[in-house]
mmCIF file of all heavy atoms in Angstrom:
data_model
loop_
_atom_site.group_PDB
_atom_site.id
_atom_site.type_symbol
_atom_site.label_atom_id
_atom_site.label_comp_id
_atom_site.label_asym_id
_atom_site.label_seq_id
_atom_site.Cartn_x
_atom_site.Cartn_y
_atom_site.Cartn_z
ATOM 1 N N VAL J 314 12.822 -23.013 19.775
ATOM 2 C CA VAL J 314 11.464 -23.509 19.516
ATOM 3 C C VAL J 314 10.469 -22.754 20.386
ATOM 4 O O VAL J 314 9.402 -22.344 19.912
ATOM 5 C CB VAL J 314 11.388 -25.029 19.763
ATOM 6 C CG1 VAL J 314 9.960 -25.527 19.700
ATOM 7 C CG2 VAL J 314 12.277 -25.780 18.776
ATOM 8 N N LEU J 315 10.799 -22.549 21.623
ATOM 9 C CA LEU J 315 9.926 -21.804 22.538
ATOM 10 C C LEU J 315 9.771 -20.360 22.071
ATOM 11 O O LEU J 315 8.668 -19.806 22.078
ATOM 12 C CB LEU J 315 10.491 -21.857 23.959
ATOM 13 C CG LEU J 315 9.695 -21.113 25.025
ATOM 14 C CD1 LEU J 315 8.306 -21.722 25.179
ATOM 15 C CD2 LEU J 315 10.435 -21.122 26.336
ATOM 16 N N ALA J 316 10.866 -19.751 21.631
ATOM 17 C CA ALA J 316 10.803 -18.368 21.158
ATOM 18 C C ALA J 316 9.922 -18.259 19.919
ATOM 19 O O ALA J 316 9.115 -17.325 19.797
ATOM 20 C CB ALA J 316 12.207 -17.858 20.855
ATOM 21 N N LEU J 317 10.052 -19.195 18.983
ATOM 22 C CA LEU J 317 9.203 -19.170 17.792
ATOM 23 C C LEU J 317 7.736 -19.396 18.138
ATOM 24 O O LEU J 317 6.852 -18.773 17.558
ATOM 25 C CB LEU J 317 9.673 -20.229 16.791
ATOM 26 C CG LEU J 317 10.958 -19.905 16.035
ATOM 27 C CD1 LEU J 317 11.393 -21.100 15.205
ATOM 28 C CD2 LEU J 317 10.774 -18.690 15.159
ATOM 29 N N THR J 318 7.486 -20.277 19.078
ATOM 30 C CA THR J 318 6.107 -20.536 19.492
ATOM 31 C C THR J 318 5.494 -19.292 20.116
ATOM 32 O O THR J 318 4.355 -18.934 19.805
ATOM 33 C CB THR J 318 6.059 -21.705 20.497
ATOM 34 O OG1 THR J 318 6.668 -22.843 19.905
ATOM 35 C CG2 THR J 318 4.640 -22.038 20.887
ATOM 36 N N LEU J 319 6.228 -18.620 20.966
ATOM 37 C CA LEU J 319 5.699 -17.411 21.602
ATOM 38 C C LEU J 319 5.511 -16.287 20.585
ATOM 39 O O LEU J 319 4.555 -15.513 20.678
ATOM 40 C CB LEU J 319 6.637 -16.958 22.722
ATOM 41 C CG LEU J 319 6.668 -17.860 23.955
ATOM 42 C CD1 LEU J 319 7.722 -17.374 24.935
ATOM 43 C CD2 LEU J 319 5.306 -17.913 24.614
ATOM 44 N N THR J 320 6.388 -16.217 19.613
ATOM 45 C CA THR J 320 6.258 -15.186 18.583
ATOM 46 C C THR J 320 5.031 -15.438 17.722
ATOM 47 O O THR J 320 4.289 -14.515 17.385
ATOM 48 C CB THR J 320 7.518 -15.160 17.694
ATOM 49 O OG1 THR J 320 8.644 -14.937 18.523
ATOM 50 C CG2 THR J 320 7.425 -14.067 16.653
ATOM 51 N N ALA J 321 4.811 -16.683 17.361
ATOM 52 C CA ALA J 321 3.678 -17.022 16.500
ATOM 53 C C ALA J 321 2.347 -16.859 17.231
ATOM 54 O O ALA J 321 1.360 -16.426 16.638
ATOM 55 C CB ALA J 321 3.822 -18.450 15.989
ATOM 56 N N CYS J 322 2.318 -17.206 18.489
ATOM 57 C CA CYS J 322 1.063 -17.158 19.234
ATOM 58 C C CYS J 322 0.845 -15.829 19.939
ATOM 59 O O CYS J 322 -0.243 -15.545 20.399
ATOM 60 C CB CYS J 322 1.021 -18.280 20.269
ATOM 61 S SG CYS J 322 1.009 -19.911 19.512
ATOM 62 N N GLY J 323 1.866 -15.029 20.071
ATOM 63 C CA GLY J 323 1.746 -13.748 20.774
ATOM 64 C C GLY J 323 1.034 -12.721 19.917
ATOM 65 O O GLY J 323 0.772 -12.910 18.743
ATOM 66 N N GLY J 324 0.716 -11.614 20.503
ATOM 67 C CA GLY J 324 0.088 -10.551 19.741
ATOM 68 C C GLY J 324 -1.215 -10.097 20.338
ATOM 69 O O GLY J 324 -1.714 -9.042 20.007
ATOM 70 N N GLY J 325 -1.803 -10.859 21.200
ATOM 71 C CA GLY J 325 -2.992 -10.421 21.906
ATOM 72 C C GLY J 325 -4.274 -10.423 21.111
ATOM 73 O O GLY J 325 -5.201 -9.699 21.431
ATOM 74 N N GLY J 326 -4.356 -11.183 20.047
ATOM 75 C CA GLY J 326 -5.614 -11.290 19.316
ATOM 76 C C GLY J 326 -5.736 -10.296 18.178
ATOM 77 O O GLY J 326 -4.796 -9.585 17.836
ATOM 78 N N VAL J 327 -6.922 -10.222 17.624
ATOM 79 C CA VAL J 327 -7.177 -9.387 16.468
ATOM 80 C C VAL J 327 -7.608 -7.999 16.930
ATOM 81 O O VAL J 327 -8.509 -7.859 17.741
ATOM 82 C CB VAL J 327 -8.279 -10.009 15.586
ATOM 83 C CG1 VAL J 327 -8.584 -9.118 14.407
ATOM 84 C CG2 VAL J 327 -7.871 -11.390 15.134
ATOM 85 N N ALA J 328 -6.951 -6.986 16.386
ATOM 86 C CA ALA J 328 -7.320 -5.618 16.727
ATOM 87 C C ALA J 328 -8.360 -5.127 15.727
ATOM 88 O O ALA J 328 -8.234 -5.319 14.533
ATOM 89 C CB ALA J 328 -6.084 -4.723 16.691
ATOM 90 N N LYS J 329 -9.413 -4.511 16.241
ATOM 91 C CA LYS J 329 -10.452 -3.981 15.357
ATOM 92 C C LYS J 329 -10.057 -2.586 14.906
ATOM 93 O O LYS J 329 -9.574 -1.783 15.696
ATOM 94 C CB LYS J 329 -11.797 -3.941 16.079
ATOM 95 C CG LYS J 329 -12.325 -5.308 16.413
ATOM 96 C CD LYS J 329 -13.700 -5.234 17.017
ATOM 97 C CE LYS J 329 -14.229 -6.632 17.289
ATOM 98 N NZ LYS J 329 -15.556 -6.617 17.846
ATOM 99 N N SER J 330 -10.259 -2.319 13.631
ATOM 100 C CA SER J 330 -9.935 -0.992 13.105
ATOM 101 C C SER J 330 -11.200 -0.146 13.045
ATOM 102 O O SER J 330 -12.300 -0.647 12.898
ATOM 103 C CB SER J 330 -9.328 -1.107 11.712
ATOM 104 O OG SER J 330 -10.256 -1.667 10.821
ATOM 105 N N ASP J 331 -11.001 1.143 13.155
ATOM 106 C CA ASP J 331 -12.118 2.060 13.016
ATOM 107 C C ASP J 331 -12.374 2.272 11.526
ATOM 108 O O ASP J 331 -11.510 2.739 10.804
ATOM 109 C CB ASP J 331 -11.811 3.403 13.682
ATOM 110 C CG ASP J 331 -11.660 3.253 15.185
ATOM 111 O OD1 ASP J 331 -12.307 2.348 15.753
ATOM 112 O OD2 ASP J 331 -10.911 4.040 15.781
ATOM 113 N N SER J 332 -13.558 1.920 11.065
ATOM 114 C CA SER J 332 -13.865 2.040 9.645
ATOM 115 C C SER J 332 -14.919 3.112 9.436
ATOM 116 O O SER J 332 -15.908 3.178 10.160
ATOM 117 C CB SER J 332 -14.385 0.705 9.110
ATOM 118 O OG SER J 332 -14.757 0.845 7.768
ATOM 119 N N ASP J 333 -14.672 3.966 8.428
ATOM 120 C CA ASP J 333 -15.666 4.966 8.084
ATOM 121 C C ASP J 333 -16.343 4.609 6.761
ATOM 122 O O ASP J 333 -17.040 5.427 6.179
ATOM 123 C CB ASP J 333 -15.033 6.361 8.021
ATOM 124 C CG ASP J 333 -13.879 6.422 7.042
ATOM 125 O OD1 ASP J 333 -13.574 5.401 6.411
ATOM 126 O OD2 ASP J 333 -13.278 7.500 6.913
ATOM 127 N N ASN J 334 -16.094 3.379 6.286
ATOM 128 C CA ASN J 334 -16.685 2.861 5.044
ATOM 129 C C ASN J 334 -16.353 3.730 3.840
ATOM 130 O O ASN J 334 -17.156 3.890 2.936
ATOM 131 C CB ASN J 334 -18.200 2.701 5.175
ATOM 132 C CG ASN J 334 -18.553 1.641 6.193
ATOM 133 O OD1 ASN J 334 -17.831 0.663 6.344
ATOM 134 N ND2 ASN J 334 -19.647 1.824 6.899
ATOM 135 N N LYS J 335 -15.153 4.296 3.820
ATOM 136 C CA LYS J 335 -14.698 5.090 2.680
ATOM 137 C C LYS J 335 -13.474 4.422 2.085
ATOM 138 O O LYS J 335 -12.641 3.885 2.810
ATOM 139 C CB LYS J 335 -14.347 6.520 3.101
ATOM 140 C CG LYS J 335 -15.546 7.331 3.543
ATOM 141 C CD LYS J 335 -15.132 8.736 3.904
ATOM 142 C CE LYS J 335 -16.328 9.549 4.363
ATOM 143 N NZ LYS J 335 -15.937 10.896 4.786
ATOM 144 N N LEU J 336 -13.381 4.477 0.789
ATOM 145 C CA LEU J 336 -12.249 3.920 0.072
ATOM 146 C C LEU J 336 -11.493 5.066 -0.586
ATOM 147 O O LEU J 336 -12.077 5.869 -1.308
ATOM 148 C CB LEU J 336 -12.727 2.929 -0.995
ATOM 149 C CG LEU J 336 -11.661 2.349 -1.913
ATOM 150 C CD1 LEU J 336 -10.691 1.487 -1.101
ATOM 151 C CD2 LEU J 336 -12.310 1.514 -3.005
ATOM 152 N N THR J 337 -10.200 5.140 -0.314
ATOM 153 C CA THR J 337 -9.372 6.181 -0.907
ATOM 154 C C THR J 337 -8.561 5.571 -2.032
ATOM 155 O O THR J 337 -7.868 4.587 -1.833
ATOM 156 C CB THR J 337 -8.427 6.788 0.137
ATOM 157 O OG1 THR J 337 -9.208 7.295 1.217
ATOM 158 C CG2 THR J 337 -7.597 7.904 -0.460
ATOM 159 N N ILE J 338 -8.647 6.158 -3.208
ATOM 160 C CA ILE J 338 -7.890 5.704 -4.367
ATOM 161 C C ILE J 338 -6.974 6.834 -4.793
ATOM 162 O O ILE J 338 -7.418 7.955 -5.028
ATOM 163 C CB ILE J 338 -8.828 5.308 -5.528
ATOM 164 C CG1 ILE J 338 -9.737 4.173 -5.098
ATOM 165 C CG2 ILE J 338 -8.019 4.931 -6.751
ATOM 166 C CD1 ILE J 338 -10.776 3.801 -6.118
ATOM 167 N N TRP J 339 -5.702 6.522 -4.905
ATOM 168 C CA TRP J 339 -4.720 7.512 -5.329
ATOM 169 C C TRP J 339 -4.494 7.332 -6.820
ATOM 170 O O TRP J 339 -4.105 6.269 -7.276
ATOM 171 C CB TRP J 339 -3.406 7.322 -4.571
ATOM 172 C CG TRP J 339 -3.559 7.617 -3.123
ATOM 173 C CD1 TRP J 339 -3.925 6.753 -2.146
ATOM 174 C CD2 TRP J 339 -3.392 8.875 -2.484
ATOM 175 N NE1 TRP J 339 -3.984 7.384 -0.936
ATOM 176 C CE2 TRP J 339 -3.654 8.698 -1.122
ATOM 177 C CE3 TRP J 339 -3.026 10.137 -2.944
ATOM 178 C CZ2 TRP J 339 -3.560 9.737 -0.200
ATOM 179 C CZ3 TRP J 339 -2.938 11.157 -2.020
ATOM 180 C CH2 TRP J 339 -3.201 10.973 -0.665
ATOM 181 N N MET J 340 -4.723 8.381 -7.580
ATOM 182 C CA MET J 340 -4.543 8.340 -9.021
ATOM 183 C C MET J 340 -3.227 9.025 -9.369
ATOM 184 O O MET J 340 -2.884 10.054 -8.798
ATOM 185 C CB MET J 340 -5.697 9.046 -9.740
ATOM 186 C CG MET J 340 -7.060 8.429 -9.443
ATOM 187 S SD MET J 340 -7.230 6.755 -10.048
ATOM 188 C CE MET J 340 -7.339 7.069 -11.785
ATOM 189 N N MET J 341 -2.534 8.458 -10.332
ATOM 190 C CA MET J 341 -1.268 9.029 -10.762
ATOM 191 C C MET J 341 -1.485 9.723 -12.094
ATOM 192 O O MET J 341 -2.004 9.120 -13.032
ATOM 193 C CB MET J 341 -0.236 7.921 -10.914
ATOM 194 C CG MET J 341 1.120 8.377 -11.261
ATOM 195 S SD MET J 341 2.205 6.951 -11.252
ATOM 196 C CE MET J 341 3.466 7.522 -12.330
ATOM 197 N N THR J 342 -1.131 10.986 -12.151
ATOM 198 C CA THR J 342 -1.278 11.697 -13.415
ATOM 199 C C THR J 342 0.043 11.649 -14.160
ATOM 200 O O THR J 342 1.106 11.549 -13.557
ATOM 201 C CB THR J 342 -1.671 13.171 -13.181
ATOM 202 O OG1 THR J 342 -0.664 13.783 -12.392
ATOM 203 C CG2 THR J 342 -3.013 13.275 -12.488
ATOM 204 N N GLY J 343 -0.056 11.720 -15.473
ATOM 205 C CA GLY J 343 1.145 11.642 -16.288
ATOM 206 C C GLY J 343 1.645 10.211 -16.347
ATOM 207 O O GLY J 343 1.042 9.284 -15.834
ATOM 208 N N GLY J 344 2.727 10.031 -16.947
ATOM 209 C CA GLY J 344 3.306 8.700 -17.041
ATOM 210 C C GLY J 344 4.573 8.776 -17.847
ATOM 211 O O GLY J 344 4.978 9.849 -18.310
ATOM 212 N N PRO J 345 5.220 7.668 -18.045
ATOM 213 C CA PRO J 345 6.482 7.710 -18.757
ATOM 214 C C PRO J 345 6.327 8.161 -20.206
ATOM 215 O O PRO J 345 7.243 8.720 -20.780
ATOM 216 C CB PRO J 345 7.005 6.291 -18.673
ATOM 217 C CG PRO J 345 5.853 5.458 -18.302
ATOM 218 C CD PRO J 345 4.880 6.344 -17.599
ATOM 219 N N GLY J 346 5.173 7.950 -20.816
ATOM 220 C CA GLY J 346 4.978 8.356 -22.197
ATOM 221 C C GLY J 346 4.817 9.854 -22.362
ATOM 222 O O GLY J 346 4.965 10.375 -23.458
ATOM 223 N N ASP J 347 4.534 10.571 -21.279
ATOM 224 C CA ASP J 347 4.339 12.015 -21.360
ATOM 225 C C ASP J 347 5.660 12.780 -21.369
ATOM 226 O O ASP J 347 5.690 13.966 -21.622
ATOM 227 C CB ASP J 347 3.497 12.502 -20.173
ATOM 228 C CG ASP J 347 2.091 11.930 -20.209
ATOM 229 O OD1 ASP J 347 1.683 11.454 -21.279
ATOM 230 O OD2 ASP J 347 1.435 11.956 -19.168
ATOM 231 N N ASN J 348 6.753 12.117 -21.104
ATOM 232 C CA ASN J 348 8.048 12.754 -21.019
ATOM 233 C C ASN J 348 8.691 12.805 -22.410
ATOM 234 O O ASN J 348 8.862 11.773 -23.052
ATOM 235 C CB ASN J 348 8.927 11.952 -20.060
ATOM 236 C CG ASN J 348 10.237 12.626 -19.758
ATOM 237 O OD1 ASN J 348 10.759 13.404 -20.536
ATOM 238 N ND2 ASN J 348 10.774 12.288 -18.590
ATOM 239 N N PRO J 349 9.062 13.992 -22.919
ATOM 240 C CA PRO J 349 9.665 14.081 -24.260
ATOM 241 C C PRO J 349 10.963 13.290 -24.386
ATOM 242 O O PRO J 349 11.256 12.733 -25.431
ATOM 243 C CB PRO J 349 9.936 15.574 -24.448
ATOM 244 C CG PRO J 349 9.152 16.270 -23.406
ATOM 245 C CD PRO J 349 8.874 15.299 -22.314
ATOM 246 N N LEU J 350 11.742 13.213 -23.315
ATOM 247 C CA LEU J 350 12.994 12.461 -23.356
ATOM 248 C C LEU J 350 12.717 10.974 -23.583
ATOM 249 O O LEU J 350 13.376 10.323 -24.402
ATOM 250 C CB LEU J 350 13.779 12.667 -22.056
ATOM 251 C CG LEU J 350 15.074 11.882 -21.934
ATOM 252 C CD1 LEU J 350 16.077 12.347 -22.996
ATOM 253 C CD2 LEU J 350 15.676 12.047 -20.552
ATOM 254 N N ILE J 351 11.726 10.449 -22.901
ATOM 255 C CA ILE J 351 11.400 9.025 -23.061
ATOM 256 C C ILE J 351 10.833 8.768 -24.449
ATOM 257 O O ILE J 351 11.124 7.739 -25.058
ATOM 258 C CB ILE J 351 10.439 8.574 -21.939
ATOM 259 C CG1 ILE J 351 11.179 8.671 -20.620
ATOM 260 C CG2 ILE J 351 9.897 7.193 -22.201
ATOM 261 C CD1 ILE J 351 10.613 7.985 -19.459
ATOM 262 N N LYS J 352 10.039 9.686 -24.972
ATOM 263 C CA LYS J 352 9.531 9.520 -26.335
ATOM 264 C C LYS J 352 10.679 9.466 -27.334
ATOM 265 O O LYS J 352 10.682 8.656 -28.259
ATOM 266 C CB LYS J 352 8.573 10.662 -26.690
ATOM 267 C CG LYS J 352 7.229 10.555 -26.014
ATOM 268 C CD LYS J 352 6.325 11.707 -26.449
ATOM 269 C CE LYS J 352 4.975 11.617 -25.771
ATOM 270 N NZ LYS J 352 4.088 12.710 -26.159
ATOM 271 N N GLU J 353 11.692 10.336 -27.145
ATOM 272 C CA GLU J 353 12.835 10.357 -28.049
ATOM 273 C C GLU J 353 13.649 9.067 -27.957
ATOM 274 O O GLU J 353 14.058 8.493 -28.966
ATOM 275 C CB GLU J 353 13.725 11.559 -27.726
ATOM 276 C CG GLU J 353 14.884 11.720 -28.677
ATOM 277 C CD GLU J 353 15.731 12.934 -28.341
ATOM 278 O OE1 GLU J 353 15.226 13.875 -27.703
ATOM 279 O OE2 GLU J 353 16.900 12.920 -28.733
ATOM 280 N N VAL J 354 13.880 8.592 -26.749
ATOM 281 C CA VAL J 354 14.636 7.347 -26.562
ATOM 282 C C VAL J 354 13.879 6.178 -27.177
ATOM 283 O O VAL J 354 14.467 5.311 -27.829
ATOM 284 C CB VAL J 354 14.922 7.106 -25.060
ATOM 285 C CG1 VAL J 354 15.461 5.711 -24.811
ATOM 286 C CG2 VAL J 354 15.882 8.147 -24.533
#
């Protein structure tokens, strides 16, 4: 119980992250429909 309490309460607070106000979106090109083998199956 003591170990769980220390684990839950430990951590030293909230860490602030450095933000540059940019959002990165990763786009995936192609897909399963572009593969001739999958089209045949």
